[in-house]
Amino acid sequence: MVVLFSACEAGEDATVRPNPANRKPTYFNLLGFLEKQATLLNQRQPAVEKQVLLRDGQQETTRVTQLDWAKELQIFQQADINKPALRGLYQVDSATTAEGLTRRSYRRQPGTEHPVEQLTVLSEGAVVREMTATVAQDNPLVYSAKTMTLRCQNGQVASYQVRGVQKLVLFDSVRYSVQSRVL
């Protein structure tokens, strides 16, 4: 019995290492924010009006009444920089706007190879008002760049848009734009 208890005691030189998963996020917790928004929107089930810019320059508008919000907001997950491997690779700038809002920008440092060039979050206290991200990929086969913007009102997503360009080797560039408004 004494052997059992002594085996359970920590030695003097034992160190307790914190679990990295429990560490506070270094950058904006985008995945947590998107998950919360998807839950709120799935409960409400609002309709969405979408405007798509077609290849010929015409705009097409459609109304969607049933959405899986986790899938709808999934494209914004591409802007997640809150990963252990990216710690310290983004410069954080914070400023207060004339309206008293906090603008926090995360910019990729030179030499960092990660598609997210920048992520900017405009917030009022803990409530996000706007999130903008620029994501780009450039390799011998494809060049793509997109700017994603998500705006909130009263703590919930009110509108979002994605604008971008994609160029495959040997093909023409394709520009696209989708704007959505939560009704």
Side-chain angles (χ1 to χ4, degrees):
M1 194 101 151
V2 172
V3 173
L4 277 175
F5 285 122
S6 63
C8 293
E9 284 184 28
E12 287 181 33
D13 61 338
T15 57
V16 177
R17 292 189 179 105
N19 182 351
N22 294 335
R23 202 186 297 183
K24 184 179 177 190
T26 304
Y27 305 119
F28 176 66
N29 185 2
L30 180 62
L31 298 182
F33 170 73
L34 293 172
E35 185 178 305
K36 180 181 174 187
Q37 290 300 314
T39 301
L40 291 169
L41 290 163
N42 277 329
Q43 290 171 353
R44 251 184 61 213
Q45 279 301 316
V48 174
E49 181 180 275
K50 291 187 176 201
Q51 288 184 338
V52 179
L53 184 63
L54 303 175
R55 191 176 267 232
D56 61 5
Q58 297 292 322
Q59 272 196 345
E60 184 177 293
T61 303
T62 186
R63 186 183 188 122
V64 183
T65 55
Q66 290 291 317
L67 285 169
D68 177 346
W69 283 97
K71 287 182 182 177
E72 184 70 10
L73 298 176
Q74 187 174 20
I75 192 165
F76 289 95
Q77 291 179 8
Q78 294 175 15
D80 180 34
I81 59 171
N82 207 18
K83 299 172 183 168
L86 299 175
R87 282 197 179 109
L89 298 180
Y90 283 82
Q91 179 181 342
V92 182
D93 294 318
S94 189
T96 303
T97 67
E99 299 86 22
L101 304 174
T102 302
R103 180 181 310 279
R104 189 161 284 129
S105 295
Y106 307 89
R107 286 191 172 74
R108 183 177 67 191
Q109 293 189 18
T112 300
E113 291 197 26
H114 189 259
V116 180
E117 291 178 355
Q118 80 164 26
L119 171 67
T120 301
V121 180
L122 185 65
S123 58
E124 184 174 16
V127 179
V128 173
R129 285 278 203 80
E130 183 178 291
M131 188 275 309
T132 304
T134 304
V135 180
Q137 176 185 3
D138 191 6
N139 65 46
L141 296 176
V142 66
Y143 168 78
S144 69
K146 67 180 127 238
T147 300
M148 304 179 284
T149 304
L150 185 143
R151 291 182 180 89
C152 296
Q153 266 185 324
N154 302 322
Q156 289 192 16
V157 173
S159 66
Y160 48 99
Q161 67 181 23
V162 178
R163 289 185 176 162
V165 62
Q166 187 170 32
K167 168 81 171 100
L168 296 171
V169 85
L170 304 176
F171 292 94
D172 290 338
S173 296
V174 176
R175 297 189 180 281
Y176 56 91
S177 175
V178 178
Q179 295 182 20
S180 302
R181 188 169 55 96
V182 179
L183 303 173

